[in-house]
Amino acid sequence: MLAEKLKQIEVIIDDKEKYDQVVILIQEMEEVERDYRAKRQADGIAAARERGVKFGRPQKPLPRNFKKIYECYQKDIITVAEAATCLQTSPVSFKRMIERYEQILKQKSN
């Protein structure tokens, strides 16, 4: 689209120096517009976060048997890998579940 406009301008302006100046001016205007659009988007995201809007995919609920497996893990009855296998997830996901569960417990105690 911009290339078409530039060709039209080139036909209208026969002086190469003037054409180059017009192209530079158009590029600067587009850059200002991009910056303005990015700032408005960032402002909108910040305002949404202040209102409590959550972005991204919603979290899955913890599995039903998580508490029992978590307690076994805490008592060193099973390892992270074994717990993850029981929950049919990866060890990293199990660790994330632990963090989430402990955060929930912390919120309930407050």
Side-chain angles (χ1 to χ4, degrees):
M1 186 168 157
L2 178 61
E4 294 172 15
K5 289 181 182 179
L6 291 177
K7 285 181 184 178
Q8 291 173 351
I9 293 171
E10 188 176 16
V11 170
I12 295 170
I13 302 174
D14 56 352
D15 185 3
K16 177 72 172 146
E17 189 175 311
K18 288 180 183 177
Y19 170 76
D20 290 342
Q21 290 174 349
V22 170
V23 169
I24 290 169
L25 179 65
I26 290 172
Q27 289 172 340
E28 289 174 355
M29 289 171 53
E30 286 181 342
E31 183 177 347
V32 167
E33 180 65 26
R34 269 193 310 274
D35 292 345
Y36 176 71
R37 200 175 311 127
K39 183 184 180 320
R40 284 192 54 199
Q41 182 179 16
D43 292 345
I45 290 170
R49 285 202 171 122
E50 285 178 13
R51 291 191 314 267
V53 174
K54 302 274 185 184
F55 290 93
R57 175 183 269 181
Q59 290 184 334
K60 287 183 178 179
L62 292 173
R64 290 181 184 205
N65 58 344
F66 176 79
K67 186 176 177 181
K68 183 178 177 183
I69 293 172
Y70 171 76
E71 289 169 357
C72 290
Y73 167 72
Q74 289 294 84
K75 295 176 184 174
D76 288 330
I77 297 171
I78 59 174
T79 65
V80 172
E82 292 168 339
T85 302
C86 291
L87 294 171
Q88 297 177 341
T89 188
S90 70
V92 174
S93 294
F94 177 66
K95 289 283 196 175
R96 283 193 207 115
M97 287 179 192
I98 290 173
E99 289 174 9
R100 213 166 106 206
Y101 182 69
E102 289 175 349
Q103 190 176 33
I104 292 168
L105 292 176
K106 187 177 179 181
Q107 289 174 353
K108 285 182 180 179
S109 68
N110 289 339

